[in-house]
Amino acid sequence: MEAAEKAGADYLIFGEAISESSDTFGNYRTSRARVELKIISTANNNIVWADSAYAGAEDTAEIKKKKK
Protein backbone atom coordinates (compact mmCIF):
# COMPACT_ATOMS: atom_id res chain seq x y z
CA MET A 1 0.00 0.00 0.00
CA GLU A 2 2.87 2.35 0.81
CA ALA A 3 4.27 2.17 -2.73
CA ALA A 4 0.84 2.98 -4.23
CA GLU A 5 0.47 6.01 -1.93
CA LYS A 6 3.99 7.28 -2.76
CA ALA A 7 3.21 6.97 -6.47
CA GLY A 8 0.04 9.03 -6.01
CA ALA A 9 -2.24 6.18 -7.04
CA ASP A 10 -5.91 6.31 -6.03
CA TYR A 11 -6.22 2.52 -5.99
CA LEU A 12 -4.02 -0.52 -5.47
CA ILE A 13 -4.91 -3.53 -7.61
CA PHE A 14 -3.72 -6.75 -6.02
CA GLY A 15 -4.03 -10.21 -7.56
CA GLU A 16 -3.02 -13.73 -6.74
CA ALA A 17 -3.21 -17.00 -8.67
CA ILE A 18 -2.70 -20.52 -7.38
CA SER A 19 -2.74 -23.81 -9.26
CA GLU A 20 -2.07 -27.41 -8.35
CA SER A 21 -1.96 -30.66 -10.24
CA SER A 22 -3.61 -33.82 -9.04
CA ASP A 23 -3.31 -37.47 -9.89
CA THR A 24 -3.30 -38.96 -13.35
CA PHE A 25 -6.30 -40.86 -14.60
CA GLY A 26 -5.37 -43.00 -17.56
CA ASN A 27 -3.76 -40.60 -20.03
CA TYR A 28 -5.10 -37.51 -18.26
CA ARG A 29 -3.82 -35.32 -15.45
CA THR A 30 -6.25 -33.11 -13.55
CA SER A 31 -5.50 -29.60 -12.29
CA ARG A 32 -7.34 -27.00 -10.20
CA ALA A 33 -6.76 -23.25 -10.15
CA ARG A 34 -7.94 -20.25 -8.15
CA VAL A 35 -7.57 -16.56 -9.04
CA GLU A 36 -8.23 -13.68 -6.63
CA LEU A 37 -8.35 -9.96 -7.36
CA LYS A 38 -8.81 -7.00 -5.01
CA ILE A 39 -9.00 -3.26 -5.61
CA ILE A 40 -8.12 -1.22 -2.51
CA SER A 41 -8.62 2.53 -2.07
CA THR A 42 -5.42 4.25 -0.94
CA ALA A 43 -7.47 7.07 0.62
CA ASN A 44 -9.03 4.91 3.34
CA ASN A 45 -7.58 1.38 2.95
CA ASN A 46 -11.04 -0.03 2.14
CA ILE A 47 -11.53 -2.86 -0.30
CA VAL A 48 -13.56 -1.35 -3.15
CA TRP A 49 -13.97 -4.57 -5.12
CA ALA A 50 -12.96 -8.20 -4.66
CA ASP A 51 -13.68 -11.36 -6.60
CA SER A 52 -12.31 -14.84 -7.07
CA ALA A 53 -12.80 -17.72 -9.46
CA TYR A 54 -12.11 -21.44 -9.43
CA ALA A 55 -11.57 -23.76 -12.36
CA GLY A 56 -10.61 -27.34 -12.96
CA ALA A 57 -9.66 -29.27 -16.07
CA GLU A 58 -7.98 -32.38 -17.35
CA ASP A 59 -5.30 -32.49 -19.98
CA THR A 60 -2.49 -34.62 -21.34
CA ALA A 61 -0.01 -31.73 -21.73
CA GLU A 62 1.80 -32.26 -18.41
CA ILE A 63 2.24 -36.02 -18.66
CA LYS A 64 5.77 -37.07 -19.45
CA LYS A 65 6.47 -40.58 -20.57
CA LYS A 66 8.97 -42.47 -18.46
CA LYS A 67 12.19 -43.52 -20.17
CA LYS A 68 12.83 -47.25 -20.27
Side-chain angles (χ1 to χ4, degrees):
M1 183 65 77
E2 190 177 312
E5 291 170 346
K6 284 182 181 179
D10 294 328
Y11 298 98
L12 171 66
I13 300 173
F14 176 78
E16 181 176 23
I18 303 164
S19 69
E20 60 182 33
S21 294
S22 184
D23 291 334
T24 55
F25 297 99
N27 289 331
Y28 291 93
R29 176 171 289 242
T30 60
S31 296
R32 303 258 329 139
R34 175 181 170 87
V35 176
E36 297 179 352
L37 184 65
K38 292 180 185 177
I39 299 176
I40 304 167
S41 171
T42 56
N44 55 19
N45 255 359
N46 286 340
I47 297 173
V48 176
W49 184 82
D51 200 2
S52 63
Y54 294 92
E58 60 281 332
D59 197 336
T60 58
E62 292 186 14
I63 297 177
K64 296 179 182 175
K65 294 184 178 185
K66 295 180 182 177
K67 294 182 181 180
K68 293 182 179 184

